[in-house]
Amino acid sequence: MSSVAVALAVLAGLAGSVQVAVMGRFGDRVGVLEALAFATAIQLVLSLTILLLARSGFGGIGSAFRAPAWMWLGGVMGLTVVFAITFAQPRIGATATIGILIAGQLVMGALIDRFGLFGVDPIAISAPRAIGIVLLGIGASLSLVR
């Protein structure tokens, strides 16, 4: 199962890179807020369609609305990511946007793992992991369009 998880993570990374390129170009053409609204509408429609097909109905949506407030943070963060991508990519380039986005995710992921935030079991942060995060941050800063 670990190999399937890694393959899905790689696929998500590839999809995220395409999203950065497309959203930056889209936001540059129609405006950042318009691109964000469009992307949010598309994500909502696709998510509901997948949920309905997978569950053959609306079961579970009601419980989602009763979830603790901190679980709603994930949805808000999704909007933040799309907004940042749409705004940043035309200004600093796709490579820098992707690198900075991944570096930020790695830093936050390390904090979540280390301190067991949001119900995750605490995991120690190894020296190679910390070094990798620092090196990615350096690489992202070097790839900024000047």
Side-chain angles (χ1 to χ4, degrees):
M1 278 318 237
S2 292
S3 59
V4 172
V6 169
L8 283 173
V10 168
L11 181 62
L14 295 173
S17 297
V18 171
Q19 181 187 21
V20 167
V22 170
M23 288 305 299
R25 181 83 170 146
F26 189 53
D28 202 29
R29 296 183 125 203
V30 302
V32 173
L33 294 179
E34 291 84 353
L36 178 62
F38 181 75
T40 302
I42 294 294
Q43 287 177 338
L44 182 60
V45 168
L46 288 176
S47 298
L48 283 174
T49 302
I50 291 168
L51 179 66
L52 291 174
L53 291 175
R55 295 204 174 239
S56 301
F58 284 97
I61 293 179
S63 355
F65 285 105
R66 293 186 295 278
W70 61 268
M71 291 184 82
W72 284 82
L73 190 59
V76 173
M77 291 300 102
L79 291 176
T80 304
V81 169
V82 172
F83 178 77
I85 287 170
T86 306
F87 180 81
Q89 189 275 337
R91 290 158 181 80
I92 63 173
T95 304
T97 302
I98 292 166
I100 293 168
L101 183 68
I102 293 171
Q105 289 175 335
L106 289 174
V107 168
M108 193 64 221
L111 291 173
I112 290 169
D113 285 346
R114 173 66 181 93
F115 298 106
L117 303 175
F118 307 110
V120 173
D121 292 333
I123 300 171
I125 305 304
S126 65
R129 183 176 178 186
I131 291 169
I133 293 170
V134 169
L135 290 176
L136 180 62
I138 292 169
S141 67
L142 292 174
S143 66
L144 287 169
V145 173
R146 304 203 193 283

